[in-house]
Amino acid sequence: MNYRPPTVTRQITLSAVVAAVYAVLTMSLPISQYGQLQIRFSEALTVLPYLFPATVPGLFVGCLIANLLSPYGLVDIVCGSAATLIAALWTARVNSRWLAPLPPVLCNGVIIGAMLTWYEVGFGPSFLTLFAANGLSVAVGELLACYILGSILLRALPKISFFRHMIPQQRLHPRAGDSR
């Protein structure tokens, strides 16, 4: 089946479904979703803009909804949602399937690591040391979610006929060196 640009209705629907899935996964799983040690399975969805750029707003809205339950309050609603939005926009522009999970790892490691550190100690003398620890901890959780679960999504979704025709050809047929 050849690539057909998705209709606006299909793009909005896909984005809404991604928002709902992100929010439900984050709010319903009984593992740490907030704080220094977090593995959000929902973050695996942040690789979707590589295949489906229309999912960017859904990821942002899903994260915003999920962060309404954050113990860090407004700062996490703003910073966490911004980190996901920046990562999703960046992922949509990445040219390699193997690099698609990297923007969420870097954005969340830096932005959420800084947010957690500021929340704990402000911008005092221990900020940099604690930021390094928090940033690394958040990045490792993102690495697990995005490079393991996200990579599974990147390999599986193009094989499903329902999705295949919505994926641009250059994303279905990677460049040399970007093995399938």
Side-chain angles (χ1 to χ4, degrees), residues 143-154:
L143 188 77
L144 294 172
C146 296
Y147 268 98
I148 295 173
L149 299 175
S151 292
I152 292 169
L153 286 173
L154 290 175

mmCIF file with all atom_site columns, all heavy atoms in Angstrom, residues 143-154:
data_model
loop_
_atom_site.group_PDB
_atom_site.id
_atom_site.type_symbol
_atom_site.label_atom_id
_atom_site.label_alt_id
_atom_site.label_comp_id
_atom_site.label_asym_id
_atom_site.label_entity_id
_atom_site.label_seq_id
_atom_site.pdbx_PDB_ins_code
_atom_site.Cartn_x
_atom_site.Cartn_y
_atom_site.Cartn_z
_atom_site.occupancy
_atom_site.B_iso_or_equiv
_atom_site.pdbx_formal_charge
_atom_site.auth_seq_id
_atom_site.auth_comp_id
_atom_site.auth_asym_id
_atom_site.auth_atom_id
_atom_site.pdbx_PDB_model_num
ATOM 1  N N   . LEU A 1 143 ? 15.968 6.383  28.904 1.00 0.00 ? 143 LEU A N   1
ATOM 2  C CA  . LEU A 1 143 ? 16.722 5.495  28.016 1.00 0.00 ? 143 LEU A CA  1
ATOM 3  C C   . LEU A 1 143 ? 16.062 4.128  27.950 1.00 0.00 ? 143 LEU A C   1
ATOM 4  O O   . LEU A 1 143 ? 15.870 3.562  26.866 1.00 0.00 ? 143 LEU A O   1
ATOM 5  C CB  . LEU A 1 143 ? 18.163 5.390  28.513 1.00 0.00 ? 143 LEU A CB  1
ATOM 6  C CG  . LEU A 1 143 ? 19.146 4.669  27.616 1.00 0.00 ? 143 LEU A CG  1
ATOM 7  C CD1 . LEU A 1 143 ? 19.548 5.587  26.472 1.00 0.00 ? 143 LEU A CD1 1
ATOM 8  C CD2 . LEU A 1 143 ? 20.380 4.272  28.409 1.00 0.00 ? 143 LEU A CD2 1
ATOM 9  N N   . LEU A 1 144 ? 15.675 3.605  29.107 1.00 0.00 ? 144 LEU A N   1
ATOM 10 C CA  . LEU A 1 144 ? 15.017 2.292  29.141 1.00 0.00 ? 144 LEU A CA  1
ATOM 11 C C   . LEU A 1 144 ? 13.674 2.337  28.412 1.00 0.00 ? 144 LEU A C   1
ATOM 12 O O   . LEU A 1 144 ? 13.384 1.465  27.594 1.00 0.00 ? 144 LEU A O   1
ATOM 13 C CB  . LEU A 1 144 ? 14.820 1.842  30.591 1.00 0.00 ? 144 LEU A CB  1
ATOM 14 C CG  . LEU A 1 144 ? 16.092 1.547  31.372 1.00 0.00 ? 144 LEU A CG  1
ATOM 15 C CD1 . LEU A 1 144 ? 15.774 1.292  32.844 1.00 0.00 ? 144 LEU A CD1 1
ATOM 16 C CD2 . LEU A 1 144 ? 16.834 0.366  30.772 1.00 0.00 ? 144 LEU A CD2 1
ATOM 17 N N   . ALA A 1 145 ? 12.875 3.361  28.704 1.00 0.00 ? 145 ALA A N   1
ATOM 18 C CA  . ALA A 1 145 ? 11.551 3.452  28.081 1.00 0.00 ? 145 ALA A CA  1
ATOM 19 C C   . ALA A 1 145 ? 11.645 3.685  26.579 1.00 0.00 ? 145 ALA A C   1
ATOM 20 O O   . ALA A 1 145 ? 10.964 3.022  25.796 1.00 0.00 ? 145 ALA A O   1
ATOM 21 C CB  . ALA A 1 145 ? 10.740 4.569  28.738 1.00 0.00 ? 145 ALA A CB  1
ATOM 22 N N   . CYS A 1 146 ? 12.491 4.618  26.177 1.00 0.00 ? 146 CYS A N   1
ATOM 23 C CA  . CYS A 1 146 ? 12.531 5.026  24.765 1.00 0.00 ? 146 CYS A CA  1
ATOM 24 C C   . CYS A 1 146 ? 13.334 4.069  23.887 1.00 0.00 ? 146 CYS A C   1
ATOM 25 O O   . CYS A 1 146 ? 12.911 3.761  22.773 1.00 0.00 ? 146 CYS A O   1
ATOM 26 C CB  . CYS A 1 146 ? 13.084 6.438  24.646 1.00 0.00 ? 146 CYS A CB  1
ATOM 27 S SG  . CYS A 1 146 ? 12.031 7.667  25.427 1.00 0.00 ? 146 CYS A SG  1
ATOM 28 N N   . TYR A 1 147 ? 14.491 3.625  24.368 1.00 0.00 ? 147 TYR A N   1
ATOM 29 C CA  . TYR A 1 147 ? 15.320 2.783  23.512 1.00 0.00 ? 147 TYR A CA  1
ATOM 30 C C   . TYR A 1 147 ? 14.883 1.327  23.513 1.00 0.00 ? 147 TYR A C   1
ATOM 31 O O   . TYR A 1 147 ? 15.139 0.614  22.552 1.00 0.00 ? 147 TYR A O   1
ATOM 32 C CB  . TYR A 1 147 ? 16.805 2.910  23.859 1.00 0.00 ? 147 TYR A CB  1
ATOM 33 C CG  . TYR A 1 147 ? 17.473 3.971  23.023 1.00 0.00 ? 147 TYR A CG  1
ATOM 34 C CD1 . TYR A 1 147 ? 17.663 5.247  23.521 1.00 0.00 ? 147 TYR A CD1 1
ATOM 35 C CD2 . TYR A 1 147 ? 17.845 3.714  21.717 1.00 0.00 ? 147 TYR A CD2 1
ATOM 36 C CE1 . TYR A 1 147 ? 18.245 6.242  22.741 1.00 0.00 ? 147 TYR A CE1 1
ATOM 37 C CE2 . TYR A 1 147 ? 18.427 4.692  20.927 1.00 0.00 ? 147 TYR A CE2 1
ATOM 38 C CZ  . TYR A 1 147 ? 18.628 5.949  21.447 1.00 0.00 ? 147 TYR A CZ  1
ATOM 39 O OH  . TYR A 1 147 ? 19.192 6.922  20.665 1.00 0.00 ? 147 TYR A OH  1
ATOM 40 N N   . ILE A 1 148 ? 14.210 0.884  24.554 1.00 0.00 ? 148 ILE A N   1
ATOM 41 C CA  . ILE A 1 148 ? 13.720 -0.506 24.546 1.00 0.00 ? 148 ILE A CA  1
ATOM 42 C C   . ILE A 1 148 ? 12.286 -0.541 24.018 1.00 0.00 ? 148 ILE A C   1
ATOM 43 O O   . ILE A 1 148 ? 12.025 -1.064 22.938 1.00 0.00 ? 148 ILE A O   1
ATOM 44 C CB  . ILE A 1 148 ? 13.840 -1.155 25.940 1.00 0.00 ? 148 ILE A CB  1
ATOM 45 C CG1 . ILE A 1 148 ? 15.323 -1.270 26.322 1.00 0.00 ? 148 ILE A CG1 1
ATOM 46 C CG2 . ILE A 1 148 ? 13.163 -2.526 25.946 1.00 0.00 ? 148 ILE A CG2 1
ATOM 47 C CD1 . ILE A 1 148 ? 15.571 -1.742 27.728 1.00 0.00 ? 148 ILE A CD1 1
ATOM 48 N N   . LEU A 1 149 ? 11.361 0.047  24.769 1.00 0.00 ? 149 LEU A N   1
ATOM 49 C CA  . LEU A 1 149 ? 9.954  -0.002 24.356 1.00 0.00 ? 149 LEU A CA  1
ATOM 50 C C   . LEU A 1 149 ? 9.692  0.844  23.109 1.00 0.00 ? 149 LEU A C   1
ATOM 51 O O   . LEU A 1 149 ? 8.964  0.428  22.204 1.00 0.00 ? 149 LEU A O   1
ATOM 52 C CB  . LEU A 1 149 ? 9.053  0.460  25.498 1.00 0.00 ? 149 LEU A CB  1
ATOM 53 C CG  . LEU A 1 149 ? 9.117  -0.374 26.776 1.00 0.00 ? 149 LEU A CG  1
ATOM 54 C CD1 . LEU A 1 149 ? 8.264  0.257  27.865 1.00 0.00 ? 149 LEU A CD1 1
ATOM 55 C CD2 . LEU A 1 149 ? 8.680  -1.796 26.505 1.00 0.00 ? 149 LEU A CD2 1
ATOM 56 N N   . GLY A 1 150 ? 10.289 2.034  23.055 1.00 0.00 ? 150 GLY A N   1
ATOM 57 C CA  . GLY A 1 150 ? 10.108 2.906  21.890 1.00 0.00 ? 150 GLY A CA  1
ATOM 58 C C   . GLY A 1 150 ? 10.642 2.281  20.611 1.00 0.00 ? 150 GLY A C   1
ATOM 59 O O   . GLY A 1 150 ? 10.022 2.386  19.551 1.00 0.00 ? 150 GLY A O   1
ATOM 60 N N   . SER A 1 151 ? 11.788 1.618  20.723 1.00 0.00 ? 151 SER A N   1
ATOM 61 C CA  . SER A 1 151 ? 12.358 0.966  19.539 1.00 0.00 ? 151 SER A CA  1
ATOM 62 C C   . SER A 1 151 ? 11.476 -0.173 19.046 1.00 0.00 ? 151 SER A C   1
ATOM 63 O O   . SER A 1 151 ? 11.381 -0.418 17.846 1.00 0.00 ? 151 SER A O   1
ATOM 64 C CB  . SER A 1 151 ? 13.774 0.453  19.841 1.00 0.00 ? 151 SER A CB  1
ATOM 65 O OG  . SER A 1 151 ? 14.643 1.544  20.036 1.00 0.00 ? 151 SER A OG  1
ATOM 66 N N   . ILE A 1 152 ? 10.824 -0.846 19.978 1.00 0.00 ? 152 ILE A N   1
ATOM 67 C CA  . ILE A 1 152 ? 9.877  -1.901 19.582 1.00 0.00 ? 152 ILE A CA  1
ATOM 68 C C   . ILE A 1 152 ? 8.735  -1.279 18.778 1.00 0.00 ? 152 ILE A C   1
ATOM 69 O O   . ILE A 1 152 ? 8.327  -1.812 17.735 1.00 0.00 ? 152 ILE A O   1
ATOM 70 C CB  . ILE A 1 152 ? 9.358  -2.667 20.816 1.00 0.00 ? 152 ILE A CB  1
ATOM 71 C CG1 . ILE A 1 152 ? 10.493 -3.486 21.430 1.00 0.00 ? 152 ILE A CG1 1
ATOM 72 C CG2 . ILE A 1 152 ? 8.167  -3.552 20.454 1.00 0.00 ? 152 ILE A CG2 1
ATOM 73 C CD1 . ILE A 1 152 ? 10.169 -4.081 22.787 1.00 0.00 ? 152 ILE A CD1 1
ATOM 74 N N   . LEU A 1 153 ? 8.222  -0.146 19.240 1.00 0.00 ? 153 LEU A N   1
ATOM 75 C CA  . LEU A 1 153 ? 7.162  0.548  18.497 1.00 0.00 ? 153 LEU A CA  1
ATOM 76 C C   . LEU A 1 153 ? 7.643  0.951  17.101 1.00 0.00 ? 153 LEU A C   1
ATOM 77 O O   . LEU A 1 153 ? 6.909  0.803  16.125 1.00 0.00 ? 153 LEU A O   1
ATOM 78 C CB  . LEU A 1 153 ? 6.703  1.800  19.246 1.00 0.00 ? 153 LEU A CB  1
ATOM 79 C CG  . LEU A 1 153 ? 5.838  1.600  20.474 1.00 0.00 ? 153 LEU A CG  1
ATOM 80 C CD1 . LEU A 1 153 ? 5.613  2.924  21.181 1.00 0.00 ? 153 LEU A CD1 1
ATOM 81 C CD2 . LEU A 1 153 ? 4.521  0.958  20.090 1.00 0.00 ? 153 LEU A CD2 1
ATOM 82 N N   . LEU A 1 154 ? 8.860  1.480  17.019 1.00 0.00 ? 154 LEU A N   1
ATOM 83 C CA  . LEU A 1 154 ? 9.390  1.938  15.729 1.00 0.00 ? 154 LEU A CA  1
ATOM 84 C C   . LEU A 1 154 ? 9.546  0.794  14.733 1.00 0.00 ? 154 LEU A C   1
ATOM 85 O O   . LEU A 1 154 ? 9.453  1.001  13.525 1.00 0.00 ? 154 LEU A O   1
ATOM 86 C CB  . LEU A 1 154 ? 10.728 2.656  15.917 1.00 0.00 ? 154 LEU A CB  1
ATOM 87 C CG  . LEU A 1 154 ? 10.663 4.017  16.598 1.00 0.00 ? 154 LEU A CG  1
ATOM 88 C CD1 . LEU A 1 154 ? 12.075 4.559  16.840 1.00 0.00 ? 154 LEU A CD1 1
ATOM 89 C CD2 . LEU A 1 154 ? 9.848  4.996  15.780 1.00 0.00 ? 154 LEU A CD2 1
#
